[in-house]
């Protein structure tokens, strides 16, 4: 069972699942997926938040990767409520 933090949204889970399935991705690519149902700009905002908490890594040009922490969260091994964002 995943342990999500108060700051997380359903979009965050969908982004992390997408990155797990596709190895990398951009908000533009994600927005084209029927099951995503979020705008590119909203997905971009959420990727920034996920990066702040160490769940994804931004490579440049909008490309994001799932980190080990992101994978641990998806596997139910990490309580994201304990993570601290960068200031």
């Amino acid at each position: 069972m995943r342990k999500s933090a108060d700051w997380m949204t359903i979009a965050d889970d969908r982004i992390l699942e997408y990155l797990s399935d596709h190895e990398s991705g951009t908000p533009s690519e994600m927005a084209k997926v029927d099951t995503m149902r979020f705008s590119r700009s909203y997905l971009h905002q959420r990727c920034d938040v996920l990066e702040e908490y160490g769940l994804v890594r931004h490579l440049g040009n909008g490309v994001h990767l799932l980190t080990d922490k992101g994978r641990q969260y998806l596997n139910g091994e990490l309580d994201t409520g304990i993570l601290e964002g960068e200031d």
Side-chain angles (χ1 to χ4, degrees):
M1 176 181 222
R2 294 179 187 163
K3 300 169 190 146
S4 60
D6 292 341
W7 53 264
M8 293 184 78
T9 69
I10 191 69
D12 298 340
D13 276 16
R14 297 291 109 30
I15 290 167
L16 296 172
E17 290 164 357
Y18 179 93
L19 294 175
S20 178
D21 291 344
H22 295 88
E23 294 185 29
S24 68
T26 67
S28 295
E29 293 168 346
M30 293 178 214
K32 294 177 185 175
V33 176
D34 289 337
T35 56
M36 195 62 79
R37 299 187 180 186
F38 302 102
S39 70
R40 181 209 55 80
S41 61
Y42 182 70
L43 293 169
H44 176 77
Q45 291 171 4
R46 296 312 305 168
C47 283
D48 286 347
V49 172
L50 292 170
E51 181 182 15
E52 181 180 331
Y53 284 92
L55 300 175
V56 303
R57 187 172 65 144
H58 184 235
L59 297 179
N61 294 326
V63 178
H64 292 82
L65 293 176
L66 187 66
T67 64
D68 288 338
K69 282 183 186 177
R71 194 166 282 103
Q72 289 170 343
Y73 166 73
L74 288 176
N75 292 333
E77 300 166 354
L78 175 68
D79 178 354
T80 55
I82 65 167
L83 297 177
E84 294 184 21
E86 299 174 359
D87 290 323

